[in-house]
Amino acid sequence: VRGLVEGICCWKFAIDEASVKHCVNILDPEGLGRSVKICGMQVADPLAKFAGLGEEGSARARFQIVALANFSWRPNPQAAGQAAQGKILRRAPSVQRIAFTVLNHVFSALTLYLTAIAVRFGAQLLSVRVLLSMVHGLVQLMWCTEDVDFRHFAIWSLKLGVTWALLLFAGVYRKVMLPRLPMLTVRLHKDCIRRGLVHEGDWRNVWDVLEECD
């Protein structure tokens, strides 16, 4: 069943060598002193807990909040010396640039968050639907026997069976897609670096250090 679901309903997921190397790096800016805080509190942590999209949600939220801060008001650490000397003048981003950057980031993160939502909440919502259908059917059978139309009962049984099948499908789909979330997070981080939203000081390059040790 898992192979069937993976072959029909899951897109091909190719992992390139650069993404595998980037998995080794430290993406969470918390330990590097670059995370965004207000009154000593992490801005990203309440958002990650509210979203409930997995244990890696805090690190994912932190580097995206850092990307927002870098785009909005934080200067690039590499350019700080040049800015202090007056060689670089940081200007406020235009409305067009803000809109383009936000839309670009939404499209970049869309696959990640749609997958996370489907994996985290799909089975739970279908479980609630199955429970409500069962309670509704039992109430009709126990207290409304004189008004029960057995054709309606057959339709209800069919709907319940379809919902059960979807629930089983959601469980298999979750097992297939859950391992992809960390790699999708790595890809989003790489994309933020490519677009200049995450600076070199916002993450730690461990892979190059390991290669130098070898």
Side-chain angles (χ1 to χ4, degrees):
V1 177
R2 178 170 179 170
L4 180 64
V5 172
E6 187 172 1
I8 297 176
C9 302
C10 302
W11 69 90
K12 293 182 179 180
F13 192 66
I15 302 176
D16 57 349
E17 184 179 353
S19 296
V20 174
K21 292 180 179 179
H22 200 61
C23 288
V24 182
N25 300 323
I26 300 176
L27 311 184
D28 192 346
E30 166 63 16
L32 305 175
R34 293 288 295 170
S35 57
V36 180
K37 298 181 180 180
I38 296 179
C39 298
M41 294 181 58
Q42 288 280 353
V43 176
D45 289 352
L47 296 176
K49 291 180 180 179
F50 178 77
L53 296 179
E55 296 179 358
E56 71 278 3
S58 295
R60 183 167 55 235
R62 284 180 194 139
F63 78 71
Q64 289 184 87
I65 294 294
V66 166
L68 176 63
N70 292 341
F71 175 73
S72 302
W73 70 84
R74 275 185 177 177
N76 190 331
Q78 293 180 334
Q82 296 179 350
Q85 298 174 7
K87 296 180 180 180
I88 296 179
L89 179 62
R90 182 173 177 85
R91 298 178 179 178
S94 63
V95 176
Q96 292 83 355
R97 187 186 171 199
I98 292 175
F100 176 78
T101 303
V102 170
L103 288 176
N104 195 6
H105 185 74
V106 168
F107 284 118
S108 298
L110 189 61
T111 301
L112 168 62
Y113 282 105
L114 288 180
T115 303
I117 291 172
V119 166
R120 301 295 179 185
F121 304 120
Q124 289 86 338
L125 292 176
L126 286 174
S127 299
V128 173
R129 179 68 177 85
V130 169
L131 180 61
L132 292 177
S133 296
M134 293 180 63
V135 171
H136 177 70
L138 290 175
V139 168
Q140 284 190 330
L141 287 176
M142 294 177 64
W143 286 282
C144 305
T145 53
E146 67 279 6
D147 298 325
V148 170
D149 188 340
F150 284 95
R151 290 178 300 177
H152 293 167
F153 176 75
I155 294 174
W156 168 79
S157 301
L158 179 61
K159 290 181 178 179
L160 185 61
V162 171
T163 308
W164 268 109
L166 289 175
L167 181 61
L168 295 176
F169 166 81
V172 177
Y173 183 83
R174 185 180 188 275
K175 292 180 180 179
V176 173
M177 299 300 291
L178 187 60
R180 299 187 179 191
L181 291 179
M183 185 57 66
L184 289 172
T185 301
V186 169
R187 287 184 177 180
L188 179 61
H189 190 269
K190 282 179 55 186
D191 189 66
C192 289
I193 295 174
R194 179 184 60 81
R195 290 185 284 126
L197 297 177
V198 172
H199 301 154
E200 186 174 339
D202 298 329
W203 60 287
R204 183 170 297 169
N205 193 332
V206 178
W207 178 264
D208 290 346
V209 175
L210 293 176
E211 282 192 328
E212 291 176 0
C213 294
D214 292 337

